[in-house]
Amino acid sequence: MTNQLVRTREAGKTVRILRQGKPVGQLTAISTTRKPIEIALLVSVTEGMQPQDDGAGNFMRKMRDGERY
């Protein structure tokens, strides 16, 4: 039963929990606040990085197909 309630909540629906027909609880989405990106910090971290020779797709293929284990 618990898994079904969680799946229902994951589908975007609010789940109300009733006891003898009266609401005693509710499953809702967790609201999270996003921290703003500090542009100056991001620039300071990335400006010294060397550009990669391959694009992201090639890099991921190499990781997937290479001897990484």
Side-chain angles (χ1 to χ4, degrees), residues 5 8-17 25-29:
L5 295 175
T8 301
R9 176 53 228 137
E10 287 175 335
K13 298 178 182 176
T14 297
V15 177
R16 298 189 82 183
I17 301 169
Q26 184 168 295
L27 299 177
T28 60

Side-chain angles (χ1 to χ4, degrees), residues 26-53:
Q26 184 168 295
L27 299 177
T28 60
I30 297 173
S31 61
T32 59
T33 57
R34 291 184 141 191
K35 183 179 175 182
I37 296 173
E38 297 179 31
I39 300 298
L41 178 61
L42 180 61
V43 168
S44 70
V45 169
T46 59
E47 68 186 351
M49 296 175 136
Q50 295 292 325
Q52 299 296 312
D53 294 333

